[in-house]
Amino acid sequence: MLPLFLSLAIVILAAFYLGSRLIRIEYEFHRENWEDDGKPADYFSSVPGSHVSRFAVSTSWLFATPEWMKGESRARKLIVWYRLLCLMFLTGSIAMVYLQFKRL
């Protein structure tokens, strides 16, 4: 169980890193969109802003690709990996809960 937990910790940290990169791209190259999104802060405090709007954009980016990302090749690549990592974390978390209850 510990190896699965540690693997999930690495996966979610990688997802946070990619989410921060996406927010930084939006902040640096698409400032108007960043402001329209509520000025989201990144996960590692290099972009100042709102933590609430960070949660909102991080969640919405799982299901929809904003227009500014469609024209940004780096962002398109990052969003695919971000979504994959979040899916891995979700499925791994479900598996961990299932395995824990199976042990009981």
Side-chain angles (χ1 to χ4, degrees):
M1 189 69 70
L2 183 61
L4 178 58
F5 176 78
L6 293 175
S7 298
L8 290 176
I10 292 168
V11 165
I12 198 64
L13 285 174
F16 286 164
Y17 175 74
L18 293 181
S20 288
R21 296 259 323 262
L22 287 166
I23 290 171
R24 274 185 264 154
I25 290 170
E26 185 181 26
Y27 176 76
E28 291 174 4
F29 302 108
H30 305 277
R31 185 69 63 103
E32 187 174 303
N33 296 100
W34 178 78
E35 290 171 357
D36 290 343
D37 283 342
K39 300 179 180 178
D42 72 344
Y43 289 94
F44 302 107
S45 300
S46 64
V47 175
S50 167
H51 299 288
V52 174
S53 61
R54 174 184 65 204
F55 176 76
V57 297
S58 296
T59 305
S60 70
W61 290 346
L62 292 173
F63 305 103
T65 304
E67 285 301 316
W68 69 265
M69 269 190 208
K70 292 177 182 175
E72 185 81 41
S73 64
R74 287 178 301 162
R76 283 195 320 264
K77 291 175 187 173
L78 290 174
I79 195 66
V80 169
W81 283 104
Y82 175 75
R83 289 172 178 160
L84 285 171
L85 287 170
C86 289
L87 180 62
M88 287 172 58
F89 180 76
L90 178 65
T91 56
S93 297
I94 291 169
M96 192 166 67
V97 168
Y98 172 76
L99 291 173
Q100 185 62 33
F101 278 110
K102 189 176 175 182
R103 291 172 82 192
L104 300 177

